[in-house]
Amino acid sequence: MVCGRCHIYVEYGRIDRRALGDGHLGGERLSGEAQRASLARALATNPEILFLDEPFSALDPPTREALLDDFEHVIRDTGIAVVMSSHDQAEALRLADTMAVMRQGRVVQTGAPEEIMNFPADEFVAGFVGMGTVVKGCVLMAGHDNTV
């Protein structure tokens, strides 16, 4: 028998139900299947919050994309809160409602992904999100619609 949240992941992830048991499918599982099983087991506890540390980083691109698709549907459909660390901006933009950028163990900016990407708080965040050119300056006058 598969619990409700695992069942959702079984459907989305197309994971073999036997993978949720003792972890053996009669041979070594591929890393994508192993990752699906790990996520399904984490969901089996019916958590209010799921903490993940770079959950997709070790997967090959096709497996990673398929698992991201599955995981995105599961978290949106279940409404489970997820706190996830990632160095992959595309992954963070795809999954996050709110992002935090950290430097040396301190949060330097939080906000919606679009806000962080378009309005970085400082030069470090700008570099982190890929803004290659940062021009320092001072706005002396702005129009009534905030155009410079």
Side-chain angles (χ1 to χ4, degrees):
M1 180 111 190
V2 178
C3 74
R5 292 212 178 194
C6 282
H7 181 69
I8 290 170
Y9 207 81
V10 167
E11 287 180 9
Y12 281 118
R14 296 167 302 281
I15 187 173
D16 188 314
R17 291 171 187 263
R18 295 172 292 164
L20 300 175
D22 64 4
H24 299 308
L25 290 173
E28 283 194 31
R29 265 195 315 249
L30 298 174
S31 62
E33 187 69 11
Q35 195 69 349
R36 279 188 175 95
S38 294
L39 289 169
R41 281 192 209 98
L43 292 168
T45 63
N46 199 23
E48 291 182 34
I49 301 174
L50 187 61
F51 293 91
L52 302 171
D53 183 15
E54 300 275 353
F56 310 106
S57 63
L59 302 173
D60 63 272
T63 302
R64 185 172 183 269
E65 188 62 31
L67 189 53
L68 272 166
D69 282 343
D70 294 341
F71 187 67
E72 183 176 17
H73 289 308
V74 168
I75 61 173
R76 302 279 185 237
D77 291 353
T78 62
I80 194 168
V82 177
V83 177
M84 185 175 85
S85 68
S86 177
H87 289 89
D88 186 299
Q89 290 175 21
E91 180 180 289
L93 288 170
R94 179 176 179 174
L95 297 175
D97 295 322
T98 303
M99 290 176 59
V101 177
M102 297 180 71
R103 177 180 55 220
Q104 298 176 340
R106 295 185 181 266
V107 174
V108 293
Q109 185 174 358
T110 61
E114 299 79 22
E115 178 185 339
I116 290 175
M117 296 299 287
N118 295 320
F119 304 102
D122 61 20
E123 194 170 342
F124 172 80
V125 177
F128 182 77
V129 299
M131 290 188 171
T133 305
V134 176
V135 178
K136 293 183 181 189
C138 179
V139 176
L140 298 176
M141 184 171 58
H144 68 290
D145 59 353
N146 290 329
T147 58
V148 179

